[in-house]
Amino acid sequence: MTWLFFQAVVSGLLLGGVYGLVASGLSLIFGVLRIINFAHGAIMMLGMYASYWLFVLVGLDPYLSILVTGPLFFALGMLIQRIVIEPNRAAAEHNQLLLTLGVALFFENLALVLWQGDFRTVRVWYSGASFLVADVLVEVPRLVAAGGAVLIALALWGFLRLTDAGKAIRALSEEPEGARLVGIDVARIRGVAFGIGSACVAVAGALVTPFFYVAPDVGESFNIMAFVVVVLGGMGNFLGALVGGFIVGLAESLGAAFLPGSLKQLVVFGLFVIVLLLRPEGLFGGRGGR
Amino acid sequence: MSSDQRDPVATPIGRRRFLTTMGAASAVALAAPARGRAQAREVKVGYILPVTGPLAFEAQLALNGLLLAVDEINGAGGIKSLGGAKITLLPGDTQNKVELGNSEAARLIDQGVTALIGPFSSLVAFSVRQVTEKNKTPFLLLATVADNVLEGGLHYCFRMQPNARAMATLTVGNMIEMAKSAGTPIKRVAIMHEDGNFGTTMGNHVEAFAGRMGYELVQRVPYNLRSPDFTAELSKVKAARPDLLLISGYYGDSKIIAETAAKLRIGVHALVGLANAAYSNPKFIAENRELTDQLFDGNYWHNPQSPRARAVFEAYQKRYSATMSNHGVQGYQVVFVLKDALERAASTDREKVREAIAKTNLADHILTQDAIRFDDAGENVNATPALLQVQGGKPVVVGPARFVEAKPVFPVPKWKG
């Protein structure tokens, strides 16, 4: 039983890191644009296809593909924001929400047309690598994904704290009107935020490709959990999203190990409802870390 | 064209659907002049398959089988008892949607098909069966596995393939028998299954038969198909120390489960798929040679001992430059069940054809079972899944005993803890 507990904790933490990075991007976009981006999972899926094709066609390692997909999806995110979302800023919030849902459906069906429903896998030499620590299995690609996710999230947090662009993003998320009054180009910053959010999720996609599969609906595996994480960590709270990711990963994994049947989903969504009821601002909402 | 006005499909028409509809319409137009002349120059048979949408890939493989069989029959002189009438296949696309299944079935029946073949998804079958019953049209199920599709006293619905119950219990039975003769009996069984209708049904059968078949079900783990990690679930399975781990799932989940089980050193005698979408899938095996080696799967298959099956596989390879899949085999064989009935009925009358299908006793087939015969409910009483094991990058039949083409490797050393 103790072995099962530690195994569940380890695999929960490894998964949680990826949830955290996916949710960080979502949280950033929400913080600045005040929209819930339903296209987040679909953008992750496109990012995974980008890494897949770079691997298949050019032989580029999925981890190195981040150097290409990161900037590429930053640009794509800015483009989506500029073309689709910015013109509808004035529209009611639920309209903007439906808009991102439309973008998601568009991307998923585009992928279906372009690459069919086939499951594709990237097999790299370290795909199967794993080691045991006191009988507890640690899969190397999952460890790299979790570690990489944390590093990137922390780097972004530093970027938001220390750079002018980062400060502008934070200003916009905390006080939109004030940010505009002090001369911040809010439209551009909104684009930058959407771009960073999209790059985050594309990078998360690249990090999971070595141990996962790529298919047009693959984003759904992470998307819903990311919403739970964002609520848990506090909407718009960047570090909260990272911590929330670990909490959800752990809850899911321990739920799977110790509860019968499919109850692990119940644990995660139960947590979601409880947090919404008791702390609607999120576990870390209203405090630092933005 | 009048048939267009009667077309009950009122959905937006995509390019492919448009072509399909046009194809059907022109088939009707071509057939029209024949109507006045000698009775039955052709036999119209409709298929409804999800040839576009999420199941398009698998549906196309089944359709390839249908086309191969129809061309073989027509090339060999058609239906002899009908004066050499040729079979004309009329297409219908369900996109795996219930409402399209209904309307396409109604359209094809309206166009005068003698029988319908399809529709892959059990959910669509549930709905379409009401259309075929009402219109008294024989309906040959293809790749439809849910047990209760034939419940409710249906008269016109027949299923050639094993249903979920046969699939689950016969596969476990084959496994137990094989283990016994290998000198390593199976006492403790665990199952992981996806928590949708398909997996849950399989899980229920494995649980229900535990006492009767002499094994103990030590762990049953339903899981969400889209879960990105199964380490905790598999750790729970490992802690229960089963001899056998059964897995009923789809493609991506089954892949990750097998990978994680290997890394966890799951410690079972064998990993066995139950109608698994991946473990006997040639594409999955080709992409995961090391992982898939010596995986078992209970699935519908062809009889490797049958010379006819070999000829069919050659013909398929020649025509499609690919190995015939198990869906292709089902599609091919179901056409020959209909052909056999048409020969005996010597008529295209739906009622007479239904009578003939009900009396089917077809020994000349390419499946791993005895003669194809239907009971009152319309189930093939002898339907049997094959027990397959991946050996040398290819699934080979290792059970039931009379069909085996290779000796099973059991227990499988690589899964040992």
Side-chain angles (χ1 to χ4, degrees), chain A residues 35-54:
Chain A
I35 56 162
I36 296 166
N37 179 21
F38 274 109
H40 207 58
I43 294 172
M44 178 172 186
M45 173 272 295
L46 288 183
M48 292 171 80
Y49 270 109
S51 295
Y52 170 83
W53 285 116
L54 283 170

Side-chain angles (χ1 to χ4, degrees), chain B residues 288-309:
Chain B
N288 303 277
R289 279 296 297 272
E290 202 186 330
L291 176 72
T292 52
D293 200 34
Q294 295 166 359
L295 274 178
F296 286 90
D297 189 28
N299 223 319
Y300 39 80
W301 207 249
H302 62 279
N303 176 6
Q305 310 296 347
S306 148
R308 181 163 168 215

